[in-house]
Amino acid sequence: MTGVMNDFCRGGLRASGIVVGFLPTAISFGAIAVQAGVPNGGAIAMSVWVFAGASQFAAIEAIRQNLPWLSIVLTVLIINLRHIPMSLAACRLVYNRFPRWQRWLLAHGLVDETFALELSEELRPFPYYLGMHIACWASWVAGTWIGCLVGMQIPDRWLKFALPSLFLYLLINAIQALRGRAIWPVLAAGIALTLATSRFGSTGVLVAILGVAVLATVLLEQPDTAGEVKE
Amino acid sequence: MNFWWMVFLAGVGTYLMRSVGVWLPPQWVPSRWLAFLPLAVILVMAVSSLASSIGADRETWGMAIATVAVIVASLKQLPLFACIAIGCGVFGAIASLG
């Protein structure tokens, strides 16, 4: 039991960088939702059940503009389409060792940040991933609640670079893991593709992710792992 | 259709997409490109999050210098939390100048 708790806490601690990045964003979401006329409970319910930042902001904007409900739901789903390839990869490469009920449980916490972190590490036991997912999810929900209560009064300047730092760290580790392969053309093309598609919002992100994956498949040899993180 | 139904349906749809790897038979999905998906997600999210940090002059400078600081910290193999603290500290300090 102690081992399970240790793994759970280690996963939660591992996610602390994500938590730091999530909090100001979630606080902003809560504040904007309340300003758009969404009840506190509604904003929190959205964070509990949908748990997808960009699509939640888009939904609030659509609500503010009084768009029809069907278009709001479709907007959320289109923005979240990138979770499909992420889920396929996570289940194939990481979660496939776990019983089905545990995979269903982990699926709810599969967001960009947890995906990137989990697939950059060596394989871990189920409680580790659960701790990571719950820490991220709880910080998102708590941040939303705080945002509903205090509005936009908390400056986010000092935490704004947390998530870019996380992804930069993971990118450097992934590059080091793939050293020796023709990684630089993939990086250059990936940066160009991401910038070129950035004007299309989340759809552009999805297109860029799939484009980089296809390009890497064509140009690179199969990696041994997704890119191990060295501690 | 009220707000609560909208939240419910958006959540169900998102969860079904997040769990597609659980309920879709693996033989239906080609596997080779999935091995490179983590690199793709990390690269795209890094670039797009950096691009979204560009704002006023001081923020742009802060982003550029914080990026270099995090890269150096990562290459020196500092732990993740230290890299994030360095990035946040450098960005926040430069963005707050003036």
Side-chain angles (χ1 to χ4, degrees):
Chain A
M1 194 62 186
T2 314
V4 170
M5 275 312 291
N6 280 346
D7 286 331
F8 181 85
C9 294
R10 212 173 294 145
L13 278 175
R14 181 69 177 150
S16 53
I18 303 175
V19 168
V20 168
F22 269 10
L23 274 174
T25 314
I27 290 170
S28 305
F29 169 75
I32 292 169
V34 169
Q35 284 172 1
V38 173
N40 289 6
I44 293 166
M46 199 182 260
S47 285
V48 167
W49 181 225
V50 182
F51 184 37
S55 66
Q56 289 182 222
F57 277 102
I60 294 300
E61 177 59 23
I63 289 168
R64 203 180 57 77
Q65 293 178 21
N66 280 323
L67 295 183
W69 67 270
L70 183 60
S71 70
I72 299 175
V73 173
L74 286 177
T75 300
V76 170
L77 297 184
I78 288 169
I79 290 174
N80 291 336
L81 272 176
R82 68 185 182 285
H83 290 119
I84 292 177
M86 281 165 44
S87 170
L88 291 171
C91 286
R92 177 74 63 90
L93 302 172
V94 181
Y95 303 160
N96 59 348
R97 301 165 297 126
F98 305 137
R100 186 170 281 261
W101 71 269
Q102 293 182 346
R103 283 182 267 163
W104 280 110
L105 200 57
L106 290 175
H108 185 57
L110 190 65
V111 293
D112 302 330
E113 292 79 6
T114 53
F115 173 81
L117 206 51
E118 287 170 3
L119 274 85
S120 301
E121 292 185 312
E122 61 196 38
L123 297 175
R124 309 274 191 172
F126 169 75
Y128 178 89
Y129 297 117
L130 189 65
M132 188 184 280
H133 286 202
I134 287 181
C136 295
W137 176 81
S139 72
W140 184 254
V141 174
T144 303
W145 177 66
I146 293 169
C148 291
L149 295 182
V150 303
M152 303 288 277
Q153 293 165 23
I154 298 176
D156 65 350
R157 184 175 292 160
W158 289 90
L159 301 176
K160 191 176 175 183
F161 207 72
L163 293 180
S165 299
L166 169 80
F167 286 115
L168 270 174
Y169 171 89
L170 294 174
L171 181 61
I172 297 299
N173 280 283
I175 292 170
Q176 287 181 319
L178 288 168
R179 201 179 337 183
R181 297 182 173 93
I183 183 76
W184 299 110
V186 175
L187 286 181
I191 291 169
L193 185 61
T194 306
L195 294 176
T197 55
S198 62
R199 76 186 69 170
F200 303 111
S202 294
T203 308
V205 169
L206 175 66
V207 169
I209 287 172
L210 295 178
V212 173
V214 169
L215 199 64
T217 306
V218 172
L219 292 180
L220 300 178
E221 295 169 26
Q222 196 77 359
D224 304 327
T225 63
E228 289 188 1
V229 174
K230 299 175 188 69
E231 283 286 4
Chain B
M1 179 67 63
N2 67 23
F3 172 82
W4 296 100
W5 274 105
M6 190 272 293
V7 171
F8 176 73
L9 290 175
V12 168
T14 301
Y15 185 61
L16 284 175
M17 289 193 280
R18 279 186 176 135
S19 58
V20 69
V22 180
W23 52 263
L24 191 72
Q27 61 269 25
W28 289 15
V29 186
S31 63
R32 187 169 145 72
W33 69 281
L34 289 179
F36 290 104
L37 201 65
L39 172 69
V41 169
I42 291 168
L43 174 61
V44 171
M45 297 311 291
V47 174
S48 56
S49 64
L50 286 175
S52 70
S53 300
I54 295 174
D57 270 359
R58 280 197 302 273
E59 288 199 346
T60 304
W61 276 107
M63 184 272 291
I65 297 170
T67 297
V68 173
V70 172
I71 289 173
V72 171
S74 302
L75 289 174
K76 290 199 173 295
Q77 304 199 336
L78 294 185
L80 170 63
F81 195 80
C83 293
I84 290 175
I86 289 169
C88 288
V90 171
F91 180 86
I94 295 173
S96 306
L97 285 176

